[in-house]
Amino acid sequence: MQLICFNNTFIQADEISFYDVERFRVGDACFESMLFINGQIPLLNFHQIRLDEACRQLGFDSYTIDESQIIELLNSNELSEGMARVRLSLIRKSGKNYMPYGTAINSLLETESVDQVFTSIKNLGNYPTFTKPTNDLGGIKHSSALLYVLAKQYAEANGWNEVLLKNDQNMFIEASSSNIFVISNGEAFTSKDTSGCVLGVVRACLLNFLPINLVDIEEELLSKADEIFLTNGIQVIQCVDNYEGRPLTKERSMEIMKQLKTKLSI
């Protein structure tokens, strides 16, 4: 049985009670999924920035990610020699139904091994059923993830490895677990910060050192795309082989991947 860390105490995973984290029932929580690789969490600073914003929006006490505690937990679970996913959840301590009580939080750290990163997406499609609201909540990782669950379900049922989501203004903004980047005529594009997309940590890192256009992504841009790649905190960068059945190239995406690996020492 794996150990977890609940409120700074290491316990067996099956020792935690549902009622310790019952505010998950109403989505009164936020989280960060972090990649541990080569003995470090290379995007830790970006995770902390987004977590600070999530705590502000949800009215939580502030929380500082403790990398030494994470490494101790990874050591305890015999995961510190390889790659691992670290999930930090912050859950409001108390409330009744939809009414939150106070700003105090419970913290929960969980770990699991990761076999591969930088895996490619063979077939990328579009999710047609529901759209994502355009508001500031879209930028953080909160625990209300039903839209993503349904998008994943649709992708699986229709033979896609991943699907793109639209916002309520009919613009493509992200995939079900990743940000989207489009390469067309040598230029790179991604969704505007105000589009409702998750403000991803790899996305933030790339925007720091690459010339990338922040735009409304319409079908026209996707139809002219030479390359598409997706980014998230665990897989980092994923090149897309085919979009809606149309083959794509990877040359520029692979260059960006190489630059990012160098920058992050991974």
Side-chain angles (χ1 to χ4, degrees):
M1 179 65 66
Q2 291 275 299
L3 291 177
I4 61 174
C5 183
F6 184 63
N7 289 340
N8 301 314
T9 300
F10 286 18
I11 60 174
Q12 296 289 333
D14 61 357
E15 291 182 56
I16 194 168
S17 164
F18 169 78
Y19 293 99
D20 292 326
V21 292
E22 65 172 339
R23 296 301 294 170
F24 268 135
R25 289 190 295 185
V26 292
D28 197 4
C30 62
F31 70 96
E32 290 292 324
S33 293
M34 299 171 277
L35 176 66
F36 177 84
I37 184 171
N38 295 342
Q40 60 167 334
I41 299 173
L43 292 161
L44 182 63
N45 289 341
F46 294 99
H47 286 289
Q48 185 65 62
I49 290 168
R50 186 171 60 188
L51 187 65
D52 289 343
E53 177 61 16
C55 288
R56 185 191 70 79
Q57 288 194 34
L58 299 182
F60 287 177
D61 289 343
S62 62
Y63 182 93
T64 301
I65 301 170
D66 187 343
E67 188 172 21
S68 64
Q69 184 180 74
I70 290 171
I71 292 174
E72 184 181 354
L73 181 61
L74 289 164
N75 280 325
S76 298
N77 287 327
E78 299 182 351
L79 294 173
S80 60
E81 297 302 315
M83 296 185 295
R85 170 183 169 139
V86 179
R87 179 179 169 121
L88 167 67
S89 300
L90 302 181
I91 311 104
R92 195 184 309 271
K93 277 193 173 181
S94 61
K96 183 175 182 180
N97 298 324
Y98 296 122
M99 177 60 69
Y101 295 159
T103 61
I105 51 175
N106 290 316
S107 64
L108 174 63
L109 272 175
E110 304 165 273
T111 60
E112 63 177 320
S113 63
V114 171
D115 295 327
Q116 288 182 293
V117 295
F118 299 104
T119 59
S120 63
I121 299 293
K122 186 175 181 181
N123 294 302
L124 177 67
N126 296 326
Y127 178 60
T129 312
F130 298 108
T131 58
K132 186 178 179 184
T134 306
N135 57 47
D136 288 345
L137 279 177
I140 64 172
K141 300 278 280 187
H142 54 77
S143 61
S144 301
L146 185 58
L147 177 61
Y148 300 127
V149 171
L150 294 176
K152 287 286 191 186
Q153 182 183 59
Y154 176 86
E156 176 72 18
N158 289 275
W160 305 113
N161 300 112
E162 180 59 284
V163 287
L164 299 180
L165 281 65
K166 289 183 175 182
N167 63 15
D168 51 15
Q169 298 173 13
N170 207 38
M171 300 296 173
F172 290 97
I173 58 170
E174 61 192 3
S176 66
S177 57
S178 308
N179 291 117
I180 177 175
F181 288 79
V182 178
I183 308 292
S184 181
N185 293 323
E187 289 192 83
F189 304 86
T190 195
S191 306
K192 294 178 178 177
D193 290 359
T194 54
S195 68
C197 71
V198 170
L199 300 179
V201 293
V202 178
R203 175 184 181 275
C205 183
L206 292 177
L207 290 174
N208 268 1
F209 73 94
L210 289 176
I212 296 172
N213 300 287
L214 298 175
V215 299
D216 291 322
I217 298 180
E218 301 182 75
E219 181 63 50
E220 182 182 1
L221 177 59
L222 291 171
S223 69
K224 297 188 299 184
D226 301 309
E227 306 179 37
I228 296 174
F229 66 88
L230 307 180
T231 65
N232 66 45
I234 303 301
Q235 285 298 321
V236 192
I237 289 181
Q238 295 179 282
C239 297
V240 175
D241 294 339
N242 299 276
Y243 171 63
E244 293 271 275
R246 181 171 67 86
L248 301 170
T249 59
K250 298 182 183 181
E251 183 178 357
R252 179 63 180 137
S253 301
M254 294 298 290
E255 290 175 3
I256 291 172
M257 183 187 299
K258 184 178 180 180
Q259 288 177 273
L260 186 62
K261 284 182 176 180
T262 300
K263 190 171 185 64
L264 298 178
S265 300
I266 58 176

